[in-house]
Amino acid sequence: MPTPSKNLGKLPPYLFAEIDRKIDEAKKQGVDIISLGVGDPDLPTPKPIVDELLTAAADPSTHNYPPYHGTQEFRETACKWMKDRFGVEVDANTEALSLIGSKEGLAHTIVAYIEPGDVVLCPSPGYPVYNNYTLLMGGEVYTFPLLADNDFLPDLTTIPDDIAKRAKLLFLNYPNNPTGAIAPESFIQEAVAFCKKHDILLCHDNAYSEMTFDGYRAPSFLSVPGAKEVCVEYFSLSKMYNMTGWRVGFAVGNATGIKTLGTVKNNTDSGVFKAIQRASVSGLLRSDELTKDLNKIYGARRDLFVAGLKKLGWNFSPSAATFYLWIPVPTGMTSVDFVNLMLEKCGVVVPPGTGYGPEGEGFFRVALTVSEKRLQEVLDRMEKNGVTFSALAKQPANAG
Ligand SMILES: *Cc1c(COP(=O)(O)O)cnc(C)c1O
């Protein structure tokens, strides 16, 4: 066999390998494992979307190649949704593109722009695609930290000028995976100004725009004046309507950015199955109603789990968005120590913060993708087995 590209060797090691091995072992011993690990909705896709797929799939006109950039109907509906939801005007013909899931669009944007010597600005902790696809293209990653002290927003002023000069892409993601953090408008303005100043394409991954609580409504970055001059925004139906397996999303924003991404796609994939695009249209047209129902469910789970953690000694307030909780591990422990303890003592799987970058140290992530009953079971097991903040936290050795 020929040797694979040396860029493959640059990918970080798979942090969950050791945890996966322990899960397999525990399962073999008959342990009832509860996984709060994956950001994959446990509930089915809403019925109107499934019904439309069944009808559309039976229509032979959906069976041939779709237009690679999306059907006219899909793009127009996505743009209408942008207008109704955010007040953002985007042109369906020049500023919108269907995606085979937003992950595909994020990765292909990196293919479209990055060659050796180019820098991509990536958050840590962050969604791994930004970092890893840059490495696959032979580009250079510059990581900026998302720290609790700064509400998990980057301090863009710390990025050195010579790095900013070589940077072509900045990846941001608010509401954020894994921290749940949200971005105030003042920060979005700052990010837009930074990208204008340094001629950088601002790639905003808005996969969780609809998953919000307590009356908070997440903005589109494109709603900030002037953003369209530098920004492409990626939306995904995956988390919006429990459609992770369907593989559909869209990119909207700067026409040159969209066209450049489209050139790579045109030479790579052949678009989204037309029946899935039709079903997606039926979802987008009743978006508020569908997401309201889902957020009620996630919100109840979130309230239950956060209240339970408080009783176990955690002093922590969740953010107003995403189905993730980014929770500090007891003081004095590492993320991996705590995650191992959860698995060994409670049979509960949670990813360590460091799975999303070194700056995730000190945290673990919970995905609220199991029922309230199972979440209560997790809390009960933690209490019963002494896996509580109160019992485990140690003052750091050099405190005070
Ligand atoms: C889930 C997720 C995506 C990917 O969504 P798809 O549309 O299913 O590819 C992108 N970004 C973030 C931050 C995610 O959590």
Side-chain angles (χ1 to χ4, degrees), residues 205-224:
D205 180 356
N206 211 344
Y208 296 94
S209 64
E210 302 315 291
M211 205 184 270
T212 60
F213 312 103
D214 309 331
Y216 173 70
R217 294 278 271 168
S220 160
F221 273 31
L222 296 171
S223 62
V224 165

Side-chain angles (χ1 to χ4, degrees), residues 12-144:
Y14 180 60
L15 246 169
F16 303 109
E18 176 64 11
I19 295 171
D20 285 347
R21 195 187 57 74
K22 287 189 178 160
I23 295 170
D24 284 345
E25 211 171 87
K27 276 189 180 157
K28 259 185 223 141
Q29 289 168 8
V31 178
D32 170 28
I33 294 275
I34 304 177
S35 176
L36 306 178
V38 279
D40 191 354
D42 56 311
L43 299 164
T45 305
K47 190 167 183 303
I49 300 176
V50 175
D51 285 349
E52 184 58 37
L53 175 73
L54 295 176
T55 310
D59 172 358
S61 78
T62 66
H63 297 175
N64 60 349
Y65 283 121
Y68 84 94
H69 60 317
T71 62
Q72 194 71 27
E73 183 196 27
F74 177 83
R75 280 178 286 108
E76 278 175 7
T77 307
C79 292
K80 180 181 177 332
W81 180 79
M82 289 296 295
K83 174 86 177 115
D84 295 346
R85 169 68 178 81
F86 302 110
V88 166
E89 302 267 5
V90 265
D91 180 70
N93 293 318
T94 57
E95 296 174 331
L97 201 53
S98 67
L99 299 175
I100 310 174
S102 60
K103 185 178 187 177
E104 176 266 302
L106 295 162
H108 280 146
T109 302
I110 298 170
V111 174
Y113 281 95
I114 299 307
E115 51 191 288
D118 293 338
V119 171
V120 178
L121 307 173
C122 302
S124 171
Y127 188 60
V129 174
Y130 323 137
N131 182 87
N132 293 359
Y133 230 87
T134 301
L135 298 175
L136 283 178
M137 294 313 296
E140 202 178 304
V141 174
Y142 179 86
T143 312
F144 51 83

